[in-house]
Amino acid sequence: MLIANERATRSAYPRELQSVMSIAKAQESRDWISSWNSLNPGPTPLYELDGLARSLGIGKLYLKDESVRSDLGSFKALGAPIALARLILRLWPDHNLDPKLLFKGGYRSLLEAFTVISATDGNHGKGLAAAAQTMGCHCVIVLHANVSEEREQAIARFGARVMRVQGNYDASVEEAARLAKANDWHVVSDTSYDGYEEVPRDVMQGYGTVAAEIVEASGSDQTVPFTHVFLQGGVGGLAAGILSYFWECYGERRPTVVIVEPAQADCLFQSALRGIASKATGSVDSVMAGLACGEASPLAWRFLVSGADYFMTITDDDAVAAMRLLAIGNAVDLPVVSGESGAAGLAGLIELLSHPAQAATVGLGPDARVLLISTEGATAPAAYQALVGQSEAQVLARQRNRVRLSQST
């Protein structure tokens, strides 16, 4: 299902939004986190999928692969760690802490009694746990009933204390807030709520690194390299972090932004219908675990309400089909490991192109240059293999073999 956002604007990036998130702050975050040895050096790949673009009938298709950002396997390695660092700097303003040294574990004795907590569907909690382990503070992660045992174990490996609650993601958010108040812990959440915006802002700001690398890969911040950007929904944090960077960079020439989310977790779609941050209408449970969010982040919505052009929903089957398509590759394109949420953008693009009238409405045609962000790899390897029919290792082996063959010719 697709709707146009009647509130979207074509204008310079508003000053009131720039005061919240900016390219300058994104670049500062990028500089700080570059000292964290949990990240792989250099930018993540930006693949040109010319074979897939040709088969879909569009001009160009680009895929930013966040699965190799770090061993954490997703873009979430950029959000929670930066938010944790900025929180610590705010709480100890008189210590003149060096952010880069913080990411090297240089203040562990200062932080040994400090505890952070968050709810998660998996990737955010893993990023927070990994950063807390590096910096030397304690971490508690609250999981809801639908988070798999595999994802729980991945978080626990970073030393976090894991707690379970009944219900969905929103129930885990409420429980994390309750526990924080009762124990004098600090919430590091990627969704905002009344009276809680600083940390979610910092999380979103951390995602600016992805956008910065994309702009740099294009070779210019003057020429807009893409006509369309498909961004995953969730609570809206990733989408706000990416589109705000592009909006400030390109102004009224910014690409057309399409937000994609599961049909049963359609909180941003519903927000677009109502004009305010709203709740989902479905069960919320989805194979796209990272997007299975029941309520939009009010802070993220401030950016999406005028910066996103279209909102659409997809099915779980759509996402799995897109995962498989990327894993197979073709005679031209490399195979790519993309997880359930990671492939959602491609699933949305394919769904739109299967309806010519909708595709024409969005402006998708032979001249379209589309950007997708594969936000995660096989962050739950067993689930990935069950859905795709081959393991992450098998896909990567074929990818490496294709690269070797191309280099030898």
Side-chain angles (χ1 to χ4, degrees):
M1 188 175 295
L2 173 78
I3 58 169
N5 179 17
E6 62 185 22
R7 301 168 186 85
T9 62
R10 289 279 165 179
S11 62
Y13 187 50
R15 288 186 177 181
E16 62 270 21
L17 296 183
Q18 189 176 28
S19 67
V20 181
M21 289 203 298
S22 66
I23 287 177
K25 280 291 186 182
Q27 295 288 16
E28 181 182 62
S29 297
R30 184 184 182 189
D31 179 52
W32 290 359
I33 204 169
S34 66
S35 64
W36 191 27
N37 62 11
S38 289
L39 296 186
N40 294 322
T44 55
L46 181 64
Y47 296 121
E48 296 186 32
L49 303 182
D50 292 337
L52 186 51
R54 192 177 303 121
S55 68
L56 292 174
I58 59 176
K60 297 288 290 186
L61 181 61
Y62 301 87
L63 182 78
K64 180 72 165 170
D65 183 8
E66 286 298 299
S67 71
V68 295
R69 176 67 64 183
S70 75
D71 289 342
L72 301 176
S74 83
F75 77 105
K76 293 286 189 176
L78 298 171
I82 278 294
L84 176 57
R86 291 192 181 277
L87 174 63
I88 291 169
L89 293 176
R90 284 194 296 272
L91 292 174
W92 282 274
D94 299 328
H95 284 65
N96 296 316
L97 303 182
D98 178 352
K100 289 189 173 183
L101 187 57
L102 188 59
F103 277 105
K104 292 180 180 295
Y107 302 103
R108 299 183 67 86
S109 60
L110 175 68
L111 301 173
E112 61 185 2
F114 180 58
T115 299
V116 292
I117 184 172
S118 182
T120 188
D121 282 309
N123 290 337
H124 174 79
K126 188 160 61 170
L128 180 61
Q133 186 179 66
T134 294
M135 295 180 194
C137 57
H138 300 281
C139 181
V140 178
I141 297 297
V142 182
L143 303 180
H144 60 83
N146 296 323
V147 178
S148 69
E149 182 74 19
E150 186 177 23
R151 293 185 186 277
E152 177 179 344
Q153 291 172 0
I155 294 168
R157 280 198 292 270
F158 291 97
R161 175 186 173 191
V162 178
M163 305 180 70
R164 286 276 187 173
V165 296
Q166 295 301 311
N168 58 22
Y169 174 74
D170 298 304
S172 64
V173 171
E174 293 174 4
E175 178 64 5
R178 187 192 69 79
L179 287 170
K181 184 176 181 180
N183 295 283
D184 197 26
W185 297 339
H186 291 264
V187 177
V188 180
S189 173
D190 56 356
T191 188
S192 67
Y193 43 85
D194 188 31
Y196 182 77
E197 288 195 343
E198 276 189 318
V199 171
R201 174 204 63 197
D202 295 337
V203 171
M204 294 190 300
Q205 193 74 82
Y207 302 150
T209 291
V210 178
E213 291 178 356
I214 292 169
V215 171
E216 289 173 2
S218 73
S220 172
D221 60 0
Q222 299 302 312
T223 302
V224 185
F226 317 107
T227 58
H228 298 75
V229 181
F230 282 67
L231 296 171
Q232 288 86 335
V235 299
L238 169 73
I242 300 297
L243 77 79
S244 65
Y245 194 104
F246 287 157
W247 195 355
E248 183 176 354
C249 185
Y250 300 121
E252 62 186 19
R253 299 175 296 123
R254 64 170 179 79
T256 296
V257 175
V258 182
I259 305 299
V260 183
E261 60 190 338
Q264 63 270 47
D266 61 345
C267 59
L268 296 178
F269 189 95
Q270 295 300 322
S271 299
L273 288 174
R274 294 171 172 79
I276 59 172
S278 301
K279 294 184 178 181
T281 55
S283 66
V284 179
D285 185 26
S286 169
V287 70
M288 293 169 271
L291 306 182
C293 305
E295 190 165 358
S297 167
L299 178 61
W301 181 247
R302 288 173 57 186
F303 295 83
L304 302 182
V305 67
S306 54
D309 300 284
Y310 296 91
F311 293 81
M312 68 175 297
T313 58
I314 58 172
T315 67
D316 284 359
D317 287 345
D318 294 332
V320 174
M323 292 171 68
R324 293 172 178 168
L325 188 61
L326 288 171
I328 293 169
N330 53 55
V332 178
D333 306 330
L334 290 175
V336 177
V337 175
S338 184
E340 305 90 272
S341 298
L346 175 59
L349 173 63
I350 292 172
E351 170 64 16
L352 276 187
L353 290 171
S354 71
H355 297 85
Q358 290 187 348
T361 296
V362 178
L364 291 169
D367 297 325
R369 305 183 307 278
V370 179
L371 170 67
L372 309 174
I373 299 176
S374 179
T375 52
E376 64 175 7
T379 52
Y384 179 87
Q385 183 167 358
L387 293 169
V388 175
Q390 53 187 312
S391 69
E392 174 188 20
Q394 289 173 311
V395 177
L396 291 177
R398 290 190 295 106
Q399 183 188 87
R400 288 192 294 268
N401 186 52
R402 286 282 300 278
V403 170
R404 282 195 298 268
L405 288 174
S406 66
Q407 291 173 341
S408 64
T409 57

